[in-house]
Amino acid sequence: MISVEITSGDPPEVSVSALSQSKFNSIQETYLFVEGAVDSTNAISDVSWSKIQGDLQGGLSPFASSTTGLTTVIDLYALTEGNEYVFRLTAKDVQGNEGYAQISFKVNTAPSSGSVTSSPGVGDALSTNFLISSKNWADDVEDGVWVSAGEEKLDYNRGRSLKLVGVGVVAEAEGLRASE
């Protein structure tokens, strides 16, 4: 989302690099590196990053680095799943003029309401054949759907497959659905 605000004077022109995606997983991508730039006819007296919108996990800081430079590192683990976040880079010049740019993104929620079972429940490694079942999971449509079938893990939305590691493991998936 881009918004424009008109101010009087000659405020610094602030920009923030575009993000590679609009939704991030707090477990897989632990840190988000964000770069900004400032162009001003006057000398810059202050540059700072701030969180404008979104809840935090247990009072953790969302910043894993300094908030007073053009580049910052956002700790995704400190953010709450399912929330939309807005971060702002603000620059102030020696004349008191202020400009800013913002980025926004969402933190993904984990799949829910499903179950994983093993049959038999107990056995010996390398000699017992196990049937591992994953059933009735729901997730956001845009997150893609992972389906375990045989010895391959298939991602139908992204066209990838990964071999499952393990001996004597058979996998099945049933009842996959997308959340509204």
Side-chain angles (χ1 to χ4, degrees), residues 1-7 11 14 88 100-102:
M1 176 177 82
I2 297 174
S3 61
V4 176
E5 183 177 317
I6 307 298
T7 61
V14 182
R88 177 181 290 178
Y100 68 88
Q102 297 181 160

mmCIF file of all heavy atoms in Angstrom, residues 1-7 11 14 88 100-102:
data_model
loop_
_atom_site.group_PDB
_atom_site.id
_atom_site.type_symbol
_atom_site.label_atom_id
_atom_site.label_comp_id
_atom_site.label_asym_id
_atom_site.label_seq_id
_atom_site.Cartn_x
_atom_site.Cartn_y
_atom_site.Cartn_z
ATOM 1 N N MET A 1 0.837 -1.167 0.000
ATOM 2 C CA MET A 1 0.000 0.000 0.000
ATOM 3 C C MET A 1 0.890 1.241 0.000
ATOM 4 O O MET A 1 1.883 1.312 0.708
ATOM 5 C CB MET A 1 -0.890 -0.008 1.245
ATOM 6 C CG MET A 1 -1.714 1.243 1.354
ATOM 7 S SD MET A 1 -2.838 1.250 2.761
ATOM 8 C CE MET A 1 -1.739 1.751 4.055
ATOM 9 N N ILE A 2 0.525 2.208 -0.794
ATOM 10 C CA ILE A 2 1.257 3.479 -0.863
ATOM 11 C C ILE A 2 0.296 4.591 -0.471
ATOM 12 O O ILE A 2 -0.831 4.653 -0.945
ATOM 13 C CB ILE A 2 1.799 3.737 -2.277
ATOM 14 C CG1 ILE A 2 2.803 2.658 -2.659
ATOM 15 C CG2 ILE A 2 2.407 5.120 -2.379
ATOM 16 C CD1 ILE A 2 3.285 2.749 -4.065
ATOM 17 N N SER A 3 0.758 5.451 0.426
ATOM 18 C CA SER A 3 -0.039 6.614 0.789
ATOM 19 C C SER A 3 0.819 7.861 0.609
ATOM 20 O O SER A 3 2.037 7.813 0.733
ATOM 21 C CB SER A 3 -0.549 6.507 2.231
ATOM 22 O OG SER A 3 0.538 6.435 3.116
ATOM 23 N N VAL A 4 0.171 8.963 0.289
ATOM 24 C CA VAL A 4 0.881 10.213 0.050
ATOM 25 C C VAL A 4 0.354 11.252 1.024
ATOM 26 O O VAL A 4 -0.857 11.389 1.211
ATOM 27 C CB VAL A 4 0.666 10.694 -1.410
ATOM 28 C CG1 VAL A 4 1.327 12.043 -1.632
ATOM 29 C CG2 VAL A 4 1.171 9.661 -2.388
ATOM 30 N N GLU A 5 1.288 11.970 1.660
ATOM 31 C CA GLU A 5 0.921 13.038 2.583
ATOM 32 C C GLU A 5 1.621 14.310 2.110
ATOM 33 O O GLU A 5 2.820 14.315 1.861
ATOM 34 C CB GLU A 5 1.383 12.672 3.999
ATOM 35 C CG GLU A 5 0.984 13.683 5.038
ATOM 36 C CD GLU A 5 1.404 13.246 6.429
ATOM 37 O OE1 GLU A 5 1.238 12.055 6.758
ATOM 38 O OE2 GLU A 5 1.915 14.102 7.169
ATOM 39 N N ILE A 6 0.857 15.384 1.963
ATOM 40 C CA ILE A 6 1.403 16.663 1.507
ATOM 41 C C ILE A 6 1.772 17.505 2.733
ATOM 42 O O ILE A 6 0.962 17.677 3.642
ATOM 43 C CB ILE A 6 0.367 17.431 0.648
ATOM 44 C CG1 ILE A 6 -0.159 16.549 -0.494
ATOM 45 C CG2 ILE A 6 0.970 18.728 0.134
ATOM 46 C CD1 ILE A 6 0.898 16.103 -1.470
ATOM 47 N N THR A 7 3.010 18.020 2.741
ATOM 48 C CA THR A 7 3.458 18.885 3.837
ATOM 49 C C THR A 7 4.051 20.161 3.257
ATOM 50 O O THR A 7 4.497 20.197 2.109
ATOM 51 C CB THR A 7 4.528 18.195 4.707
ATOM 52 O OG1 THR A 7 5.657 17.890 3.891
ATOM 53 C CG2 THR A 7 3.985 16.919 5.327
ATOM 54 N N PRO A 11 10.524 19.087 3.001
ATOM 55 C CA PRO A 11 10.874 17.966 3.877
ATOM 56 C C PRO A 11 11.813 16.979 3.184
ATOM 57 O O PRO A 11 11.864 16.920 1.949
ATOM 58 C CB PRO A 11 9.518 17.311 4.167
ATOM 59 C CG PRO A 11 8.697 17.629 2.975
ATOM 60 C CD PRO A 11 9.142 19.005 2.533
ATOM 61 N N VAL A 14 12.009 10.484 1.844
ATOM 62 C CA VAL A 14 12.394 9.228 2.470
ATOM 63 C C VAL A 14 11.805 8.079 1.662
ATOM 64 O O VAL A 14 10.653 8.138 1.234
ATOM 65 C CB VAL A 14 11.890 9.160 3.935
ATOM 66 C CG1 VAL A 14 12.332 7.872 4.605
ATOM 67 C CG2 VAL A 14 12.379 10.378 4.716
ATOM 68 N N ARG A 88 7.879 2.395 10.190
ATOM 69 C CA ARG A 88 8.116 3.697 9.568
ATOM 70 C C ARG A 88 9.566 4.137 9.759
ATOM 71 O O ARG A 88 10.117 4.032 10.863
ATOM 72 C CB ARG A 88 7.185 4.725 10.199
ATOM 73 C CG ARG A 88 7.380 6.143 9.675
ATOM 74 C CD ARG A 88 6.462 7.118 10.354
ATOM 75 N NE ARG A 88 5.090 6.873 9.915
ATOM 76 C CZ ARG A 88 4.032 7.544 10.362
ATOM 77 N NH1 ARG A 88 4.178 8.500 11.270
ATOM 78 N NH2 ARG A 88 2.832 7.272 9.917
ATOM 79 N N TYR A 100 8.769 10.849 5.934
ATOM 80 C CA TYR A 100 8.825 9.434 6.318
ATOM 81 C C TYR A 100 8.361 8.537 5.175
ATOM 82 O O TYR A 100 7.722 8.991 4.226
ATOM 83 C CB TYR A 100 7.983 9.165 7.577
ATOM 84 C CG TYR A 100 6.495 9.321 7.392
ATOM 85 C CD1 TYR A 100 5.720 8.239 6.959
ATOM 86 C CD2 TYR A 100 5.854 10.519 7.669
ATOM 87 C CE1 TYR A 100 4.350 8.365 6.797
ATOM 88 C CE2 TYR A 100 4.492 10.655 7.514
ATOM 89 C CZ TYR A 100 3.739 9.579 7.077
ATOM 90 O OH TYR A 100 2.390 9.715 6.913
ATOM 91 N N ALA A 101 8.694 7.264 5.301
ATOM 92 C CA ALA A 101 8.218 6.209 4.405
ATOM 93 C C ALA A 101 7.884 5.006 5.275
ATOM 94 O O ALA A 101 8.449 4.829 6.360
ATOM 95 C CB ALA A 101 9.288 5.850 3.380
ATOM 96 N N GLN A 102 6.947 4.173 4.806
ATOM 97 C CA GLN A 102 6.489 3.033 5.594
ATOM 98 C C GLN A 102 6.516 1.749 4.776
ATOM 99 O O GLN A 102 6.419 1.786 3.556
ATOM 100 C CB GLN A 102 5.047 3.268 6.080
ATOM 101 C CG GLN A 102 4.897 4.428 6.995
ATOM 102 C CD GLN A 102 3.462 4.618 7.468
ATOM 103 O OE1 GLN A 102 3.287 5.271 8.471
ATOM 104 N NE2 GLN A 102 2.452 4.099 6.815
#
